[in-house]
Amino acid sequence: MAKTKRIIITILLRLLAFGATLSATVVMVTSHESAEVMNIKFSAKYSNSPTFKFYVTAEAIATGYGLIVLFLSSRRSFDRLIVILDVVIALILTSSISAALAVAQIGKKGDTHAGWLPVCNQVPKFCDHVTGALIAGFVAAIVYLVLNLYSLHVFLTPLFPV
């Protein structure tokens, strides 16, 4: 019963992480909007920023990894490798979210010291998509954190019985 419960919890967490990373990737990739300011037309899309490209790449890698691990999670022989890779994916997600959040903050608020103006007033649809993608990315990172803590608990419980 305990093994079945562990497998069910792990699969549910992995499905949640897969859904969050997939939605973050799709929402960010589909974010684009054009605007005209002082007779100058510009378009805002994720591919204009190397940071957003890194974010999409990291989320896509996590999505692919999540899909592969869903099929391997029931095999006991890969447990330790999966735990290590879960930590790596959590770190990659955290770094990409941090970088994308910094760029999104500058896009929303600007930076008066550097002379950068906010752009979200001109392209609100784009900024809303980026916000949605970042929220989904945060959910994925939190789920991977919970998954890492649960895996650690499962591995350490037999070593240190109460």
Side-chain angles (χ1 to χ4, degrees), residues 27-81:
V27 169
M28 185 63 95
V29 167
T30 59
S31 64
H32 61 282
E33 187 176 6
S34 296
E36 190 172 319
V37 178
M38 295 186 282
N39 292 330
I40 299 172
K41 187 172 182 175
F42 72 96
S43 65
K45 51 189 172 183
Y46 88 95
S47 59
N48 291 344
S49 168
T51 305
F52 288 156
K53 287 181 187 177
F54 170 58
Y55 178 76
V56 168
T57 303
E59 294 289 334
I61 288 170
T63 302
Y65 168 77
L67 185 62
I68 291 168
V69 170
L70 272 171
F71 295 110
L72 295 177
S73 63
S74 62
R75 297 201 175 138
R76 188 80 176 143
S77 59
F78 292 113
D79 278 353
R80 289 191 179 155
L81 177 63

Side-chain angles (χ1 to χ4, degrees), residues 89-151:
I89 291 295
L91 292 172
I92 290 171
L93 288 176
T94 304
S95 68
S96 69
I97 290 166
S98 299
L101 188 61
V103 171
Q105 178 69 14
I106 290 173
K108 184 173 177 96
K109 302 283 185 182
D111 187 350
T112 56
H113 299 292
W116 296 334
L117 299 174
V119 296
C120 283
N121 295 334
Q122 286 77 32
V123 285
K125 182 181 158 192
F126 172 75
C127 290
D128 291 343
H129 272 245
V130 170
T131 301
L134 287 173
I135 290 169
F138 271 118
V139 169
I142 290 169
V143 171
Y144 269 104
L145 172 67
V146 171
L147 194 55
N148 285 327
L149 292 174
Y150 184 71
S151 297

